[in-house]
């Protein structure tokens, strides 16, 4: 597995970024945090674009920066996708892409060669090749920008909030392309965002920044489940993540398998056998002491109470074990006492259908 080793500091008059971390780059790793936490500064330092960066940066067996050497940005083998497309306005899409091929310089250890036809086909740019950037939508410009970054044959792809300037429909469209990149090209992606929805949809791992420091680093599922991180990840926004397998599509519904149990959601496009990720808000989970009957809520999972957190005077956060996965429910303390809920007790989790957001399926 590719590893990025960081021991760096960026000091400015009113801001200081300090990161000491080894990041295992497999698929998409999100760099998440509020505005001003240092996400873009970190990405620029990794790319060799931050002149004030000090310390050591290592990628696989190469050292990009330490006290003895500084590898220039163009020799690091990094593809960079900015918030805006930064395409040459006087060139057509095809000319922009061919420019990237002609003028990129080989890194010390180049990544796999990515051909123009493959990039165009993957990002579906065939119909755009003769157009100029001014005639493209924001989403189309970002697709071209991603293809241009790929055509530099990078070893690592850095993406700095590539969806932030797009409307909701365009975000969904471009996210579908981004999530395919690691598998399609064997290319690790470091993805900066302050949107937890993007993290949940796209990433498996997350580096969480706060005020220039690393607050946490690990799997998205683990970090979103940590109560101590809710001030950064969002108590009600984060919720739980369940992984499920698409079993079949029937009558406009999709049946999913979750550790031997079944869920039903409005039909999605994923093929049977595909693993998908479901985001479920704690406020949309109801706990029943006995299996309920004759209810409009159709999704019921057998669970066992793993942990109860009493961090508020009114509410309790209940962690429910669904075999190897965890589902969180937010209930009142009154309900907790009336149902005599304690760790280790077998219960049933009722999940409202509105809790399933198909836009957050990966």
């Amino acid at each position: 597995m590719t590893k990025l080793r960081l021991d760096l500091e960026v000091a400015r008059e009113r801001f200081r970024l300090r990161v000491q971390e080894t990041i295992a780059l497999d698929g998409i790793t999100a760099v998440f945090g509020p505005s001003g936490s240092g996400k873009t500064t970190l990405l620029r330092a990794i790319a060799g674009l931050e002149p004030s960066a000090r310390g050591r940066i290592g990628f696989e067996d190469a050292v990009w920066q330490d006290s003895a050497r500084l590898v220039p940005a163009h020799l690091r083998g990094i593809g960079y996708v900015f918030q805006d497309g930064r395409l040459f306005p006087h060139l057509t899409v095809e000319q922009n892409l061919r420019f990237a091929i002609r003028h990129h310089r080989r890194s010390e250890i180049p990544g796999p060669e990515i051909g123009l036809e493959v990039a165009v086909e993957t990002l579906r740019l065939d119909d755009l090749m003769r157009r100029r950037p001014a005639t493209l939508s924001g989403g189309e410009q970002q697709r071209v920008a991603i293809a241009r970054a790929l055509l530099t044959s990078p070893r690592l792809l850095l993406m700095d909030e590539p969806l932030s300037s797009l409307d909701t429909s365009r975000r969904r469209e471009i996210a579908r392309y981004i999530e395919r990149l690691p598998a399609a090209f064997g290319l690790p992606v470091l993805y900066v965002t302050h949107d937890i929805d993007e993290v949940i949809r796209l990433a498996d791992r997350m580096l969480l920044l706060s005020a220039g420091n690393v607050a946490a680093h690990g799997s998205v599922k683990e970090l979103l489940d940590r109560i101590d991180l809710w001030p950064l990840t969002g108590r009600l926004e984060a919720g739980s993540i369940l992984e499920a397998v698409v079993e079949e599509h029937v009558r406009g519904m999709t049946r999913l398998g979750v550790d031997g149990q079944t869920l039903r959601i409005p039909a999605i496009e994923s093929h049977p056998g595909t693993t998908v990720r479901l985001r479920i808000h704690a406020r949309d989970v109801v706990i029943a002491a006995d299996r309920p009957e004759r209810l409009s809520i159709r999704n019921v999972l057998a669970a066992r109470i793993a942990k109860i957190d009493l961090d508020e005077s009114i509410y309790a956060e209940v962690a429910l074990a669904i075999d190897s996965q965890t589902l969180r429910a937010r209930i009142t303390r009154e309900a907790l006492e009336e149902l005599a809920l304690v760790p280790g007790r077998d219960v049933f989790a009722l999940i409202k259908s509105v809790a399933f957001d198909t836009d957050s399926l990966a």
Side-chain angles (χ1 to χ4, degrees), residues 114-361:
I114 297 174
L116 178 63
E117 291 185 2
V118 173
V120 169
E121 180 181 357
T122 302
L123 279 301
R124 297 184 183 178
L125 303 177
D126 302 79
D127 297 336
L128 308 179
M129 297 295 277
R130 296 183 180 181
R131 294 169 58 182
R132 284 187 165 81
T135 69
L136 304 177
S137 68
E140 290 169 339
Q141 290 187 38
Q142 283 301 75
R143 281 158 53 197
V144 176
I146 294 170
R148 185 180 60 179
L150 292 174
L151 289 172
T152 64
S153 298
R155 304 165 66 196
L156 172 64
L157 185 61
L158 306 181
M159 308 189 82
D160 187 5
E161 303 200 56
L163 308 183
S164 62
S165 63
L166 305 179
D167 59 32
T168 301
S169 62
R170 296 302 181 190
R171 288 188 180 200
R172 296 172 185 169
E173 172 194 350
I174 303 303
R176 295 189 184 101
Y177 292 102
I178 293 173
E179 65 190 0
R180 300 176 190 145
L181 295 177
F185 299 104
L187 183 64
V189 178
L190 205 57
Y191 185 96
V192 162
T193 182
H194 64 272
D195 188 328
I196 196 65
D197 288 322
E198 293 179 22
V199 174
I200 292 170
R201 167 156 191 173
L202 297 172
D204 293 313
R205 299 186 63 79
M206 174 167 60
L207 182 71
L208 183 59
L209 295 183
S210 175
N213 295 291
V214 176
H217 174 214
S219 76
V220 172
K221 292 179 66 174
E222 291 172 354
L223 267 55
L224 292 187
D225 199 44
R226 283 179 51 180
I227 290 180
D228 61 308
L229 298 178
W230 280 352
L232 298 174
T233 59
R235 168 188 294 279
L236 298 180
E237 290 77 9
S240 304
I241 298 174
L242 290 183
E243 291 185 351
V245 177
V246 176
E247 295 182 343
E248 64 175 351
H249 307 288
V250 180
R251 298 178 182 177
M253 301 291 286
T254 295
R255 191 176 75 182
L256 304 170
V258 181
D259 292 327
Q261 302 190 64
T262 300
L263 294 176
R264 291 174 177 81
I265 65 173
I268 60 177
E269 297 179 358
S270 301
H271 299 294
T274 303
T275 298
V276 297
R277 187 181 299 164
L278 300 171
R279 177 185 177 187
I280 304 172
H281 292 289
R283 61 175 178 260
D284 290 324
V285 179
V286 176
I287 297 177
D290 303 299
R291 180 177 287 278
E293 298 180 356
R294 302 176 64 83
L295 289 177
S296 61
I297 298 177
R298 312 307 296 170
N299 289 303
V300 179
L301 296 176
R304 176 168 294 176
I305 297 177
K307 185 180 179 182
I308 299 174
D309 295 302
L310 304 174
D311 65 325
E312 289 188 7
S313 58
I314 299 177
Y315 294 101
E317 298 284 342
V318 183
L320 302 170
I322 312 293
D323 195 24
S324 61
Q325 303 193 66
T326 300
L327 180 66
R328 299 195 74 91
R330 191 168 192 252
I331 64 174
T332 64
R333 289 201 180 192
E334 182 181 53
L336 184 77
E337 295 170 1
E338 289 184 0
L339 294 175
L341 301 181
V342 294
R345 179 171 177 177
D346 291 328
V347 293
F348 295 89
L350 287 63
I351 305 171
K352 303 174 184 178
S353 60
V354 296
F356 297 97
D357 180 3
T358 56
D359 293 334
S360 65
L361 295 176

Side-chain angles (χ1 to χ4, degrees), residues 40 43-44 47 49 78-82 145 149 156-160:
T40 295
L43 224 62
R44 286 177 52 83
L49 301 175
I78 286 176
Y80 205 121
V81 180
F82 298 88
L156 172 64
L157 185 61
L158 306 181
M159 308 189 82
D160 187 5

